[in-house]
Amino acid sequence: RLALAATAVALLIPGLLPGFGDEPLLDLTRGEGGSVSISPIVDIRPNLLRNPAVELFRVQTGRPAYWRLLSLDRFDGRLWTATDLEAQHGLTIPAGSGLADRLTQPRPGAVTIEQSFLIAGLTTPWMPAAFQPRSVFMDSDFRFDPIRDTMVREGGTGPGLSYSVTSDVMVPSVEQLDSAESPSADDVHPGYTQLPRNLPARVREIARQITLGEPNAYRRILAIQSHLRRFTYDEEAPAGHGTDDMLFFLERSRRGYCEQFAGSMAVLLRTLGYPTRVAIGF
């Protein structure tokens, strides 16, 4: 009778737990032939701990950069997700024609980076590139979301896919950042400051406390970054990215890994009205 009761509990109780059965915030799943597929709605920790050596892609460039796949712009209190995950509302770019003409002009004050990619084991809908891509050339059609600067190939990436990208990377000086004005409401995409209605008031209080007395937007953002840099990076920290997990991370454990640092900073900045997204890439 005891064994039967224990079995029943083991089968039934997990289904009552919050989040049971939900999709995880970054899923690095092994595919056939050692390929790696990435889902943007995932808990990354198991993969950080496993950390297999897999060649995902090669990039030839004169300047290293963050090779960005996509950004997550929506937070529901539990998960960060993307509004238009596969650029269904973006531009369709025919093979060999690059991006639309209106995107090919250099952005003032940016450093231009030329990149040539050769995909190996990476199998995702998104194409890595330095942010922000200005022109892209490859031998197959792809979609480009000009709002989120996401490039999506129908059928996904895979071994042997090659393409070239020209990106404009902003490298502002401290003086430029210090003198920059906060963006007006008209200049900000409304989705980039969205927060769930049930966000604990304590999260807003923490953001205000950290930034108290700072004179401008740059110094407030820098204060939050500096505050989080005093925490401990720990791949063994408890998993989770919801609001309760965030408060535990910010007030009690002060230990976490990339997912918790990025998600928490994005929410803190949004409480101050600054447009923020969580980037996924390499």
Side-chain angles (χ1 to χ4, degrees):
R1 286 196 297 271
L2 182 60
L4 289 173
T7 301
V9 168
L11 291 173
L12 297 176
I13 291 299
L16 303 178
L17 297 176
F20 178 77
D22 287 347
E23 288 187 88
L25 184 47
L26 186 62
D27 187 15
L28 304 178
T29 308
R30 285 266 195 159
E32 295 183 2
S35 63
V36 170
S37 175
I38 295 181
S39 165
I41 307 174
V42 184
D43 177 358
I44 195 175
R45 186 179 65 151
N47 304 288
L48 292 173
L49 298 177
R50 187 168 64 243
N51 196 25
V54 178
E55 183 182 25
L56 300 181
F57 59 88
R58 298 184 182 191
V59 54
Q60 185 174 11
T61 179
R63 183 185 180 114
Y66 178 80
W67 311 118
R68 179 180 178 274
L69 284 177
L70 75 160
S71 63
L72 308 180
D73 57 1
R74 182 172 53 199
F75 181 60
D76 64 3
R78 293 175 49 257
L79 291 172
W80 281 92
T81 56
T83 303
D84 189 5
L85 191 59
E86 296 193 9
Q88 296 292 346
H89 299 96
L91 306 169
T92 297
I93 311 299
S97 62
L99 293 181
D101 291 340
R102 66 188 180 87
L103 299 172
T104 57
Q105 297 303 313
R107 294 178 172 92
V111 174
T112 299
I113 298 182
E114 304 286 350
Q115 311 132 70
S116 296
F117 286 88
L118 177 63
I119 303 298
L122 182 67
T123 57
T124 72
W126 313 286
M127 299 157 54
F131 182 78
Q132 292 171 295
R134 172 159 49 93
S135 64
V136 182
F137 291 91
M138 72 174 187
D139 293 332
S140 57
D141 297 354
F142 67 98
R143 292 192 299 275
F144 178 75
D145 182 345
I147 297 176
R148 300 164 188 85
D149 292 277
T150 302
M151 302 183 299
V152 175
R153 181 173 183 262
E154 192 70 45
T157 62
L161 175 69
S162 62
Y163 57 94
S164 60
V165 184
T166 300
S167 299
D168 290 336
V169 177
M170 303 304 295
V171 189
S173 67
V174 171
E175 291 75 21
Q176 288 173 316
L177 292 169
D178 240 345
S179 62
E181 297 181 3
S182 298
S184 66
D186 294 337
D187 295 330
V188 174
H189 189 290
Y192 298 162
T193 54
Q194 162 272 331
L195 286 168
R197 293 182 180 179
N198 63 347
L199 183 74
R202 179 61 185 146
V203 177
R204 299 181 187 275
E205 292 171 10
I206 291 171
R208 286 196 295 268
Q209 289 171 357
I210 296 172
T211 58
L212 188 65
E214 297 296 342
N216 56 39
Y218 171 57
R219 294 294 167 174
R220 293 183 197 106
I221 295 169
L222 197 62
I224 289 178
Q225 174 182 280
S226 299
H227 178 79
L228 292 176
R229 280 185 165 171
R230 290 194 285 270
F231 288 23
T232 301
Y233 185 90
D234 182 4
E235 293 175 358
E236 300 286 353
H241 32 261
T243 52
D244 290 341
D245 303 304
M246 188 183 306
L247 279 174
F248 179 75
F249 168 68
L250 290 171
E251 295 197 291
R252 296 178 60 188
S253 74
R254 299 169 69 92
R255 308 177 71 87
Y257 45 95
C258 45
E259 176 185 319
Q260 293 158 322
F261 279 90
S264 297
M265 182 166 183
V267 170
L268 290 172
L269 292 178
R270 285 191 175 192
T271 67
L272 300 175
Y274 299 133
T276 314
R277 295 175 288 182
V278 174
I280 292 178
F282 304 90

